């Protein structure tokens, strides 16, 4: 397919992928040669103030492609209209920032378009402030080409002086006049200001050989068919009409046909070739799997936009794979209350979910039932073993209509949905049985008794519906953690990873029971939150701690509260049991002043997640920031500092706050949970703990954050590290050297490493406490 790089005045006829490459290369161009560049800006009334401002912006963008320095590229500017006016010579501003600031301050003058006069000025004065032809000279004319007089002779004389002339069209340029101005060959020296990145690429491509030689490896100049257009006003004969003319006869009038002329504006096309530098990008190797779209970031980096259900790694591996062994039955509402549209939406959700999770070796057996007044099981449990045949079976489901009898459906499924299939004698058919209820209409019979009956049959119930169904779904499941509500149709599809986690959490204890973790909560205790909501946040932290085994070897928890300043309630190594942590949380006071999330995160970085305060090297570290979104403006930099040191920042925001600010603090949508009200906070606890536990299972860098105190340098070894100390000694540079004038360095012999195990960690922690005393 043909794509057009610039819609309007210049079109480059290349594919969409090539457009991206030209644009990316244009942003990375940098000419570092010794070069004098003079901008000649058309400031006449035919350009107008709006287009003049665009010319200035374009000139500034071209400066990004020039390495402006006294010994390399120098830049000057002349504005011309009725007369030429020197805005600044080439030796006035010798840094890129200074040149761009001066270009911004240039004022539109107005007048007629005397391009020839401007060229004669350059012939007479040369390049003001330049290096007298000892370096190559480049003249960049930015104009619409509508000159008042002839430009052919002065343009030829300028080029005879070996000045390279680029003619840049602005507004609706007259390309044939710009052809006269540009150096030979004109197709290499004509540019259009409408797309600055493309024009910067064109300028660099022409100058790259032999002037700017620093082309990146693998990059090459290629020619592409392109078309330049001129907007012209032409006259055409629209039709003829009867007109009356005089006659030689005294009593007669002569009738005739007269042409009716109409003026209209048309584009005159000028086919040409455009030369652009194209660099290989990392997407050429098609690194994104499973239908993911590769988006290049410069010449050596990229990211993959993954389809929903994929993104298990950077290359879009399936992330929803149901590795757990369960008998899974989907129970779909097909009543009149859910409507045909809602039923089709559930079908689409089910198909997409199964395509993402059911692989060839999926250990689960799966079925689908639908209900209204009656219940049908069109896809029996274990009937299909692969996603393709499952999807075909779902496609064949038809909308029923009728009353919504959810209670009756749950009772029927409990009795008939999981009938045992014949199995070999030595195979135990005791897999967990999971029912996922998809409904969007209130039940017209009682669900409580039926749900209790289903649970008595050892069925694990998960409910999915829109937000107004939350109360009924919680009655069905008996647990808000097993209820999934969505805010709009698209949000339903965003809940797929959450559903996968809930299905596979059946029979598994919550929390990170076996994973070592250093976890810090930073809780907003400012007046913006208020006392009542602060108590809700405090309760949330308390109930979250119940999901972890708190001791020196498994999970350590710290708590920070903040207003305008941050305060450590207890450090990571303060409490060694769940009961001690819960007791301490109950005593946390409300502060009530203004909020500064930045100072809280900075406090966590410098005073909580440190070896001195009990942080353990080689253990995953997570900070959970609980806030109403106030005082987040200063939080992005310390959050980035924490991430740089291997500490995950998880942001939980309650209420309305600008999402861009939150994303800068969280670093990724994965680590941002936005909740509409404090009452809903409890429903997100399972999701938040699951994400924290995922982080606890990921590999860590033993030297991040730096376990060495007193400016010691951490040096990694295989499965270990050592601290290189200066003026200090000990495993973590914790003891000052007092004997002699010179320190013993390194503190540990080169073959001595600190090996980390839970038991070794206890000894180290005690040693550190002893050294602090």
């Amino acid at each position: 397919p043909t794509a057009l790089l610039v819609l309007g005045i210049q079109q480059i006829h290349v594919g969409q992928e090539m457009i991206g490459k030209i644009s990316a290369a244009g942003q990375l161009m940098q000419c570092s040669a010794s070069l004098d560049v003079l901008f000649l800006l058309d400031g006449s009334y035919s350009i107008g103030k709006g287009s003049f401002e665009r010319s200035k912006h374009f000139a500034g963008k071209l400066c990004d492609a020039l390495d402006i320095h006294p010994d390399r590229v120098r830049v000057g500017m002349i504005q011309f209209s009725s007369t030429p006016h020197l805005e600044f010579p080439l030796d006035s501003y010798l840094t890129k920032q200074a040149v761009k600031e001066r270009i911004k301050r240039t004022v539109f003058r107005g007048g007629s378009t005397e391009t020839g006069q401007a060229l004669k000025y350059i012939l007479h004065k040369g390049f003001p402030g330049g290096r007298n032809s000892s370096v190559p000279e480049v003249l960049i004319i930015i104009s619409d080409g509508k000159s008042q007089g002839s430009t052919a002779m002065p343009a030829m004389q300028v080029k005879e002086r070996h000045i390279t002339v680029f003619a840049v069209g602005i507004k609706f340029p007259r390309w044939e006049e710009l052809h006269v101005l540009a150096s030979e060959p004109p197709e290499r020296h004509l540019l259009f200001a409408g797309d600055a990145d493309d024009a910067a690429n064109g300028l660099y491509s022409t100058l790259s050989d032999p002037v700017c030689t620093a082309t990146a490896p693998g990059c090459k100049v290629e020619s592409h068919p392109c078309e330049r257009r001129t907007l012209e006003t032409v006259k055409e004969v629209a039709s003829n009409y009867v007109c009356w003319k005089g006659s030689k006869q005294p009593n007669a009038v002569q009738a005739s046909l007269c042409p009716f002329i109409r003026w209209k504006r048309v584009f005159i096309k000028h086919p040409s070739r455009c030369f652009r530098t194209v660099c290989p990008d990392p997407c050429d190797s098609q690194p994104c799997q499973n239908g993911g779209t590769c988006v290049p970031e410069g010449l050596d980096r990229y990211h993959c936009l993954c389809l929903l259900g994929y993104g298990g790694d950077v290359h879009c591996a399936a992330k929803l794979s149901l590795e757990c062994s369960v008998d899974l039955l989907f129970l779909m509402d097909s009543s009149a209350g859910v409507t045909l549209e809602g039923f089709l939406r559930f079908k689409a959700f089910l198909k997409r979910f199964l395509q993402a999770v059911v692989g060839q070796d999926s250990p689960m057996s799966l079925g689908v039932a639908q209900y209204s007044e009656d219940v049908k099981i069109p896809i029996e449990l274990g009937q299909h073993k692969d996603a393709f045949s499952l999807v075909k079976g779902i496609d064949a489901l038809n909308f029923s209509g009728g009353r919504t009898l959810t209670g009756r459906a749950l009772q029927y499924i409990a009795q008939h949905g999981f009938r045992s299939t014949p199995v070999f004698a030595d195979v135990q058919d005791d897999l967990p049985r999971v029912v996922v209820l998809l409904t969007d209409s209130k039940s017209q019979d009682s669900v409580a008794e039926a749900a209790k009956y289903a649970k008595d049959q050892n069925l694990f119930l998960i409910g999915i519906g829109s937000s107004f169904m939350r109360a009924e779904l919680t009655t069905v499941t008996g647990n808000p953690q097993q209820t999934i509500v969505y805010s709009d149709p698209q949000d339903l599809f965003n809940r797929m990873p959450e559903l996968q986690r809930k299905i596979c959490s059946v029979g598994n204890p919550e929390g990170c029971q076996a994973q070592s973790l250093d976890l810090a909560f930073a809780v907003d205790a400012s007046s913006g939150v208020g006392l009542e909501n602060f108590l809700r946040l405090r309760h949330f932290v308390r109930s979250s701690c119940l999901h972890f085994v708190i001791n020196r070897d498994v999970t350590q928890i710290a708590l920070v509260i903040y207003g305008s300043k941050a305060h450590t309630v207890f450090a990571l190594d303060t409490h060694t049991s769940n009961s001690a942590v819960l007791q301490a949380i109950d005593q946390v006071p409300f502060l009530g002043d203004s909020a500064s999330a930045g100072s809280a995160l900075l406090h966590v970085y410098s005073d909580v997640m440190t070896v001195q305060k009990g942080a353990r090297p080689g253990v995953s570290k997570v900070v959970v920031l609980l806030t109403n979104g106030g005082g987040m403006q200063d939080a992005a930099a310390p959050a980035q500092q924490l991430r740089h040191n291997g500490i995950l920042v998880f942001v939980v925001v309650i209420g309305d706050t600008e999402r861009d600010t939150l994303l800068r603090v969280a670093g990724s949508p994965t680590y941002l949970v936005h909740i509409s009200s404090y009452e809903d906070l409890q429903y997100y606890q399972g999701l938040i703990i699951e994400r924290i536990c995922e982080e606890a299972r990921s590999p860590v860098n033993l030297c991040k954050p730096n376990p060495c105190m007193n400016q010691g340098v951490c040096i990694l070894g295989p499965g270990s590290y050592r601290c290189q100390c200066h003026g200090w000694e000990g495993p973590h540079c914790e003891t000052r050297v007092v004997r002699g004038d010179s320190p013993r360095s390194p503190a540990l012999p080169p073959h001595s490493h600190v090996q980390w195990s839970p038991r070794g960690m206890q000894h180290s922690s005690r040693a550190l406490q002893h050294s602090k005393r």
Side-chain angles (χ1 to χ4, degrees):
T2 296
L4 307 176
L5 183 60
V6 182
L7 293 174
I9 308 305
Q10 176 174 287
Q11 299 179 340
I12 297 185
H13 296 265
V14 290
Q16 190 67 42
E17 184 182 350
M18 189 60 69
I19 287 175
K21 289 190 175 186
I22 290 171
S23 183
Q27 294 171 44
L28 297 168
M29 301 288 107
Q30 184 76 203
C31 183
S32 243
S34 293
L35 191 64
D36 281 353
V37 176
L38 181 63
F39 285 106
L40 189 58
L41 254 67
D42 186 342
S44 65
Y45 288 131
S46 70
I47 283 283
K49 193 170 188 313
S51 291
F52 183 74
E53 291 300 317
R54 281 193 287 278
S55 297
K56 283 163 52 180
H57 171 74
F58 172 77
K61 291 289 283 186
L62 281 196
C63 288
D64 290 332
L66 304 171
D67 184 11
I68 298 173
H69 184 274
D71 300 327
R72 293 187 285 278
V73 182
R74 294 188 185 182
V75 174
M77 180 180 281
I78 292 171
Q79 181 183 171
F80 72 93
S81 51
S82 304
T83 57
H85 173 79
L86 177 63
E87 294 291 346
F88 59 93
L90 283 91
D91 54 2
S92 290
Y93 303 97
L94 301 175
T95 67
K96 186 175 296 190
Q97 195 56 39
V99 170
K100 290 178 72 171
E101 286 295 326
R102 177 59 184 83
I103 290 172
K104 280 184 186 173
R105 296 199 304 271
T106 304
V107 178
F108 176 65
R109 293 179 172 273
S112 58
T113 315
E114 299 292 348
T115 313
Q117 288 281 81
L119 294 174
K120 287 174 186 174
Y121 177 90
I122 291 167
L123 288 167
H124 178 61
K125 300 274 190 180
F127 275 33
R131 285 166 276 190
N132 300 323
S133 305
S134 62
V135 300
E137 294 177 322
V138 175
L139 178 65
I140 301 175
I141 305 170
I142 307 175
S143 170
D144 61 2
K146 297 170 184 174
S147 179
Q148 245 64 57
S150 172
T151 58
M153 184 56 70
M156 185 179 71
Q157 291 170 331
V158 165
K159 288 178 273 190
E160 282 174 351
R161 293 197 182 181
H162 304 293
I163 296 171
T164 303
V165 182
F166 286 89
V168 182
I170 189 79
K171 203 173 180 182
F172 296 110
R174 207 169 269 164
W175 289 105
E176 61 272 20
E177 289 196 23
L178 294 177
H179 262 262
V180 173
L181 297 174
S183 291
E184 292 291 331
E187 58 268 20
R188 280 184 173 267
H189 294 86
L190 282 172
L191 303 170
F192 177 58
D195 189 301
D197 291 332
D198 170 65
N201 189 320
L203 175 77
Y204 184 90
S205 300
T206 301
L207 293 177
S208 60
D209 187 23
V211 182
C212 313
T213 53
T215 308
C219 298
K220 58 182 182 293
V221 178
E222 295 178 352
S223 83
H224 307 283
C226 66
E227 186 178 90
R228 299 188 175 98
R229 297 174 169 192
T230 304
L231 189 65
E232 296 284 0
T233 304
V234 298
K235 65 179 182 178
E236 65 172 11
V237 177
S239 62
N240 292 312
Y241 66 96
V242 176
C243 57
W244 305 99
K245 295 188 176 180
S247 172
K248 294 178 181 177
Q249 298 174 11
N251 297 321
V253 177
Q254 186 177 347
S256 179
L257 288 176
C258 296
F260 176 69
I261 304 297
R262 183 167 60 193
W263 297 89
K264 73 171 187 177
R265 308 186 85 187
V266 296
F267 280 115
I268 309 297
K269 298 177 181 178
H270 303 270
S272 184
R273 306 286 303 175
C274 289
F275 290 82
R276 298 293 182 266
T277 298
V278 179
C279 302
D281 67 48
C283 290
D284 288 346
S285 61
Q286 298 180 326
C288 304
Q289 305 159 6
N290 298 309
T293 303
C294 183
V295 180
E297 297 173 354
L299 295 179
D300 56 354
R301 297 178 60 199
Y302 67 91
H303 68 269
C304 293
L305 297 176
C306 306
L307 296 176
L308 204 57
Y310 299 94
D313 64 10
V314 294
H315 298 119
C316 300
K319 70 175 178 182
L320 296 182
S321 175
L322 284 170
E323 296 299 327
C324 49
S325 298
V326 294
D327 286 342
L328 177 62
L329 185 69
F330 285 93
L331 179 59
M332 271 204 309
D333 186 346
S334 178
S335 67
V338 81
T339 72
L340 174 60
E341 182 187 359
F343 177 72
L344 294 175
R345 187 182 305 131
F346 282 148
K347 277 178 64 173
F349 170 79
L350 201 49
K351 283 160 58 178
R352 189 146 357 144
F353 181 76
L354 296 176
Q355 285 168 330
V357 302
V358 178
Q360 284 185 325
D361 305 318
S362 184
M364 65 166 42
S365 60
L366 198 144
V368 179
Q370 66 180 91
Y371 75 94
S372 52
E373 296 173 355
D374 300 312
V375 187
K376 293 183 285 190
I377 308 179
I379 301 175
E380 296 275 355
L381 207 67
Q383 182 179 338
H384 300 296
K385 296 295 183 190
D386 62 276
F388 179 74
S389 54
L390 274 167
V391 167
K392 280 185 69 176
I394 293 166
D395 276 332
L397 301 182
N398 293 315
F399 180 60
S400 306
R403 292 184 300 156
T404 311
L405 301 182
T406 308
R408 181 177 176 181
L410 288 168
Q411 179 112 10
Y412 182 90
I413 289 301
Q415 293 169 340
H416 307 287
F418 293 88
R419 283 180 296 198
S420 295
T421 51
V423 291
F424 296 109
D426 58 346
V427 176
Q428 292 288 314
D429 187 18
D430 59 355
L431 295 179
R433 295 173 167 185
V434 182
V435 176
V436 178
L437 172 66
L438 292 155
T439 180
D440 235 356
S441 58
K442 294 281 179 71
S443 179
Q444 292 168 273
D445 64 351
S446 172
V447 295
E449 284 299 317
K452 182 178 183 305
Y453 175 77
K455 282 176 244 176
D456 289 343
Q457 308 306 307
N458 290 322
L459 300 189
F460 185 83
L461 303 177
I462 298 172
I464 301 178
S466 51
S467 45
F468 80 94
M469 291 293 297
R470 187 193 297 276
E472 183 171 303
L473 290 173
T474 304
T475 303
V476 170
T477 61
N479 181 357
Q481 303 280 353
Q482 300 312 129
T483 301
I484 299 173
V485 297
Y486 55 90
S487 54
D488 56 62
Q490 180 52 47
D491 190 40
L492 168 63
F493 292 89
N494 296 337
R495 302 291 172 176
M496 285 168 52
E498 190 178 349
L499 175 60
Q500 180 263 342
R501 283 194 298 272
K502 291 192 188 307
I503 291 169
C504 283
S505 71
V506 178
N508 295 330
E510 286 188 274
C512 323
Q513 303 292 336
Q515 246 74 35
S516 296
L517 176 68
D518 284 346
L519 173 62
F521 288 96
V523 181
D524 189 341
S526 68
S527 56
V529 171
L531 176 58
E532 185 182 348
N533 291 328
F534 171 73
L535 294 176
R536 286 195 176 100
L537 293 179
R538 196 173 77 176
H539 176 74
F540 175 82
V541 174
R542 191 183 196 284
S543 61
S544 296
C545 291
L546 294 170
H547 295 280
F548 299 94
V549 176
I550 298 173
N551 61 45
R552 288 276 183 268
D553 297 336
V554 187
T555 300
Q556 293 189 144
I557 292 182
L559 178 59
V560 171
I561 58 171
Y562 71 91
S564 56
K565 294 182 179 176
H567 308 273
T568 303
V569 178
F570 51 84
L572 289 166
D573 59 357
T574 305
H575 299 301
T576 58
S577 69
N578 286 65
S579 58
V581 166
L582 298 178
Q583 196 172 351
I585 291 171
D586 289 338
Q587 309 303 316
V588 177
F590 175 61
L591 299 176
D593 56 354
S594 60
S596 170
S599 63
L601 292 176
L602 206 56
H603 179 82
V604 170
Y605 174 78
S606 57
D607 290 333
V608 176
M609 288 294 185
T610 63
V611 172
Q612 297 96 311
K613 296 294 172 71
R616 297 164 293 176
V619 171
S620 294
K621 291 171 176 55
V622 178
V623 181
V624 178
L625 180 67
L626 289 160
T627 173
N628 73 337
M632 297 289 282
Q633 296 78 10
D634 60 346
Q640 182 56 40
Q641 200 171 5
L642 284 161
R643 279 191 293 276
H644 181 70
N645 280 273
I647 302 165
L648 173 72
V649 179
F650 200 93
V651 181
V652 181
V653 181
I654 302 97
D656 294 329
T657 307
E658 189 180 326
R659 187 170 173 81
D660 287 349
T661 305
L662 303 177
L663 276 174
R664 282 197 294 274
V665 179
S668 159
T670 308
Y671 304 121
L672 173 64
V673 174
H674 204 160
I675 303 169
S676 56
S677 69
Y678 287 89
E679 291 80 2
D680 290 346
L681 186 58
Q682 58 177 321
Y683 302 123
Y684 288 82
Q685 188 175 60
L687 170 69
I688 292 165
I689 289 170
E690 178 63 33
R691 296 247 177 104
I692 292 170
C693 294
E694 282 175 11
E695 182 62 22
R697 289 189 283 271
S698 62
V700 294
N701 182 335
L702 291 169
C703 283
K704 282 193 173 185
N706 186 3
C708 309
M709 295 184 269
N710 302 306
Q711 283 78 51
V713 179
C714 180
I715 298 171
L716 275 174
S720 61
Y721 71 88
R722 64 185 176 87
C723 288
Q724 187 171 319
C725 310
H726 302 284
W728 299 78
E729 61 183 1
H732 298 98
C733 309
E734 67 271 16
T735 308
R736 186 184 290 278
V737 176
V738 291
R739 295 190 303 279
D741 295 325
S742 59
R744 293 179 303 193
S745 180
L748 295 176
H751 61 273
S752 175
H753 295 282
V754 183
Q755 294 285 351
W756 287 106
S757 68
R759 182 170 295 178
M761 188 61 241
Q762 288 183 317
H763 296 314
S764 166
S765 182
R766 290 178 194 131
L768 288 175
Q769 289 176 343
H770 179 72
S771 72
K772 283 187 273 185
R773 295 192 196 102

